[in-house]
Every structure is written in C-alpha cells, then in structure tokens.
Amino acid sequence: MDSGRIDIDHLARLAALRLSDSERSRVRADLQRIVAMVDRMQSVDTEGIAPLAHPLDASQRLRPDAHTEAVDRARYQAGAPAVRDGMYIVPRVVE
C-alpha cells in the first residue's frame, strides 16, 4: 500500500472522529510509520518457519479449579414471589 495515499479524512469519517489539522498530520505520520513497518515485516523470508501460537515456550500457571463458594438457594429465593422445587415460577409469556 502506498502510504502517501492514506485518506485521513475518509478514515476519520468512518471512525466518527473529528480531527484538527495538527491531529490530522500526526495521525497521517503515525499511519505512514505503521504501513512502513508492515511492509518491512512482509519482506522478511519466512519460508520453512512454522507459525507460533506464542513467541515464548512457556506454560501458563493456572490456579487450581477449586469450589470456593456455596449457593444458598433458600436464602436467594426467600424474596421471590413464587418458587416450586427450587425453581422460580414466572408468568407465561409465550402461548
């Protein structure tokens, strides 16, 4: 992509942004740097390199999946207008 052809006004309109002239020039410069970086990355020879899910060979430490809370159904349903067999009774809304 030609970074000189970046239409800042069109992008600002799509993103519903109102940019001043100084902001518009800063955004254009930022986008030109981003496009240049992507162009450099695309020029790198990646033949024979397997894609990675993560750049580091590390495993995530996970907390134990332990039961930490008890549900007190009777307490939660005490304020309900109608309960039967542990279920909330609600008016029928579909015929």
Side-chain angles (χ1 to χ4, degrees), residues 8 19-34:
I8 299 299
L19 299 174
S20 68
D21 289 339
S22 64
E23 290 171 328
R24 190 175 289 112
S25 64
R26 283 196 317 255
V27 167
R28 180 182 306 280
D30 287 345
L31 287 176
Q32 287 173 339
R33 283 194 301 271
I34 291 168

Side-chain angles (χ1 to χ4, degrees), residues 17-74:
L17 297 174
R18 196 174 303 132
L19 299 174
S20 68
D21 289 339
S22 64
E23 290 171 328
R24 190 175 289 112
S25 64
R26 283 196 317 255
V27 167
R28 180 182 306 280
D30 287 345
L31 287 176
Q32 287 173 339
R33 283 194 301 271
I34 291 168
V35 169
M37 180 187 63
V38 170
D39 287 343
R40 281 194 312 272
M41 290 171 56
Q42 288 179 338
S43 69
V44 173
D45 180 24
T46 58
E47 187 66 34
I49 298 175
L52 299 173
H54 195 277
L56 303 175
D57 280 334
S59 59
Q60 181 69 28
R61 292 183 307 176
L62 301 175
R63 64 171 172 77
D65 192 12
H67 179 77
T68 59
E69 296 180 17
V71 176
D72 187 0
R73 183 183 290 178

